[in-house]
Amino acid sequence: MRDLINEIWNSVRNNKLRTALTGFAVSWGIFLLICLLGAGNGIINAFQGSSDRFVTNSMDIMGGRTSLPANGYKEGRWINLDKGDLDIIKGKEFEDQVDKVAPVTSGVSDKMALGVKTVSTSMQGVTPQYLEIEKIQMDKGRFINPLDVEQRRKVVVLSTKHEKELDRNLVGKWVSMQGISFRVIGIYHSDESDWRTSAYIPYSTMKGIFKPGEEIDDIFITFNGVSNLEESRELENTISSRLKAHHEAHPDDPNAIWIWNRYSQNAQISQGQRLISIGMWILGILTLISGIVGVSNIMLISVKERTHEFGIRKAIGAKPGKILSLIIAESVSITAFFGYVGMGIGMLACEIMDKTLGQKSMNLGFDSIKMMDNPTVGLDVALEATLLLIVAGTLAGLIPAWKAAKVKPIEALRAE
């Protein structure tokens, strides 16, 4: 074993340029594979994090602006949701599919004050179901409860962004909005990539003080009994048709009622994630193949250069298996060493991506998502990819090794 190691070391030392070129091809291949997989994972995690902010089997229903005339009304009429729409969704037609229903009414944006400190915010009147549908995470205190809605309490739930601007201990204190005092009962989590910055008050309080009447801005619902994209779109179309009929809008008007079907969005995101993952693997493997081809070419050159040496070895009694094992061992050693070097640098590059691109966000207007979220590769995947490269490197060295082992001593000695 020691003799084999010494022979490999001498071969590498005597052929520094060839070894360096082979090592670079191997390291570059595994480095690009790790970087591509890390970037792909980061993009997938970013989109997955965005979809995880709400229940995927849910819809956000809003009124729109008609684009077709109907029932004596011209196009361009604004549709405002009302209590009638809420009754339709809560009615018998949808009772087997619709689970939770959360009407939302938004107030005007204004300054919220705590003593001399102020911060810009907007109010939203919500019910307790809104917490579960939107997956709001409470940091402190509690969310709006049924008793708050029933008694029209003047209470408010603020975000961690509000807390940073006003006071670190807001729960239990009173803030002023629109000249009315509200007691802070809870703080919900809101980071830089989150669009939520509203101050949530009971739905009944909002309707009683700021927006009387039956008008509703949004209706959030969760549903069940849907197992695929077609069924979710069928439910979406049925709800849309019923609400259009309620407002005497044209049944084929695509703009009268606006529905954000999160089930459909999640399905599209999942499909996009699969395509990104497959694409990254294909690109990475193609890059890896180029490194393997480089190893094979270098080994062919190596065998040709050492034909005379192999002839001498065979002339003094070396068996073909000895020469075969020498070349393969050299190929495996070079591939393994530089493969792990490339893996280490690739994982380091992924960490750098996480500290740079992973901290930046893209503003989508209605939302903000991270460019990348944890763009790293698991150690198991990195080791498997490197092991694959080592096996491929072994196979790459097998053909030239077999040729070298089969050469006749007299022919090898004549080689230049």
Side-chain angles (χ1 to χ4, degrees):
M1 183 66 181
R2 178 178 292 182
D3 291 339
L4 180 62
I5 295 174
N6 287 333
E7 288 190 35
I8 293 173
W9 171 248
N10 289 329
S11 175
V12 169
R13 187 178 58 182
N14 294 331
N15 299 276
K16 296 184 179 65
L17 179 60
R18 171 169 57 80
T19 303
L21 292 174
T22 306
F24 176 79
V26 171
S27 295
W28 184 249
I30 196 69
F31 168 78
L32 285 183
L33 175 62
I34 297 296
C35 287
L36 285 170
L37 292 179
N41 288 338
I43 295 171
I44 290 173
N45 292 338
F47 279 100
Q48 186 63 48
S50 177
S51 64
D52 284 345
R53 295 178 189 171
F54 46 76
V55 176
T56 53
N57 61 320
S58 66
M59 295 182 187
D60 177 9
I61 306 167
M62 292 185 288
R65 190 176 186 181
T66 61
S67 57
L68 297 173
N71 298 311
Y73 294 102
K74 294 182 178 181
E75 68 275 13
R77 174 170 60 100
W78 285 102
I79 301 295
N80 297 312
L81 300 182
D82 55 31
K83 188 177 180 298
D85 298 297
L86 197 61
D87 292 338
I88 290 172
I89 294 172
K90 288 183 175 181
K92 290 185 177 181
E93 183 178 2
F94 300 107
E95 64 181 353
D96 293 333
Q97 287 183 288
V98 174
D99 295 322
K100 296 181 178 66
V101 180
V104 175
T105 300
S106 302
V108 295
S109 299
D110 198 1
K111 293 286 186 180
M112 177 171 57
L114 175 67
V116 296
K117 295 181 180 179
T118 60
V119 61
S120 298
T121 191
S122 60
M123 285 184 290
Q124 282 193 312
V126 299
T127 59
Q129 293 81 3
Y130 186 80
L131 173 72
E132 298 179 46
I133 297 175
E134 291 296 281
K135 285 189 176 180
I136 295 176
Q137 299 178 0
M138 298 300 297
D139 273 8
K140 300 175 184 176
R142 63 173 178 85
F143 197 68
I144 306 296
N145 65 25
L147 203 57
D148 295 327
V149 178
E150 181 182 341
Q151 298 182 359
R152 297 187 178 183
R153 290 174 174 173
K154 295 183 179 66
V155 293
V156 64
V157 178
L158 302 178
S159 72
T160 50
K161 292 180 181 179
H162 295 134
E163 191 178 40
K164 289 178 183 178
E165 294 290 333
L166 296 176
D167 196 304
R168 292 292 179 180
N169 300 296
L170 273 176
V171 177
K173 295 183 178 179
W174 292 81
V175 295
S176 176
M177 294 185 294
Q178 297 277 307
I180 298 174
S181 295
F182 290 83
R183 185 169 64 88
V184 180
I185 58 172
I187 303 294
Y188 67 90
H189 180 74
S190 178
D191 58 32
E192 293 301 323
S193 63
D194 202 330
W195 77 94
R196 299 186 184 108
T197 57
S198 296
Y200 298 121
I201 67 174
Y203 178 78
S204 57
T205 305
M206 173 68 80
K207 297 299 292 182
I209 298 176
F210 301 106
K211 296 189 75 173
E214 297 188 348
E215 183 179 329
I216 301 172
D217 292 308
D218 295 74
I219 299 176
F220 290 84
I221 67 169
T222 59
F223 51 88
N224 61 67
V226 170
S227 58
N228 55 56
L229 190 58
E230 289 72 24
E231 290 179 358
S232 78
R233 285 176 175 168
E234 183 179 350
L235 176 60
E236 175 187 343
N237 292 333
T238 303
I239 292 174
S240 178
S241 296
R242 298 297 180 270
L243 300 188
K244 287 175 186 177
H246 172 65
H247 291 279
E248 299 185 88
H250 196 286
D252 296 326
D253 192 337
N255 300 318
I257 299 295
W258 190 89
I259 298 180
W260 178 11
N261 188 341
R262 289 157 168 183
Y263 188 98
S264 299
Q265 176 184 323
N266 189 63
Q268 292 168 356
I269 289 176
S270 297
Q271 183 180 9
Q273 290 171 352
R274 286 193 295 271
L275 292 176
I276 289 173
S277 181
I278 292 171
M280 291 300 179
W281 270 106
I282 290 174
L283 289 174
I285 289 174
L286 289 176
T287 305
L288 206 58
I289 289 173
S290 67
I292 295 168
V293 171
V295 173
S296 180
N297 289 336
I298 293 296
M299 294 309 298
L300 283 170
I301 296 171
S302 172
V303 168
K304 186 175 181 180
E305 288 178 349
R306 299 173 65 186
T307 301
H308 192 76
E309 174 193 335
F310 296 147
I312 295 174
R313 286 175 180 270
K314 295 189 75 174
I316 60 177
K319 295 181 179 180
K322 181 71 173 178
I323 296 174
L324 185 70
S325 62
L326 173 63
I327 298 174
I328 292 178
E330 181 180 341
S331 175
V332 171
S333 300
I334 293 173
T335 306
F337 176 78
F338 287 102
Y340 284 113
V341 169
M343 182 193 77
I345 298 174
M347 296 189 74
L348 178 62
C350 288
E351 291 296 331
I352 294 173
M353 275 195 291
D354 188 27
K355 300 299 182 184
T356 53
L357 295 176
Q359 306 304 314
K360 295 183 179 181
S361 300
M362 294 184 294
N363 191 343
L364 304 180
F366 64 92
D367 194 3
S368 179
I369 63 171
K370 286 185 176 181
M371 293 180 65
M372 287 186 179
D373 186 10
N374 191 26
T376 56
V377 178
L379 184 60
D380 55 339
V381 176
L383 289 173
E384 289 170 2
T386 307
L387 182 62
L388 174 64
L389 181 62
I390 293 171
V391 172
T394 303
L395 295 176
L398 187 59
I399 296 175
W402 182 257
K403 288 183 178 180
K406 298 292 287 183
V407 70
K408 295 179 179 180
I410 189 65
E411 293 177 1
L413 290 171
R414 288 173 179 174
E416 294 296 332

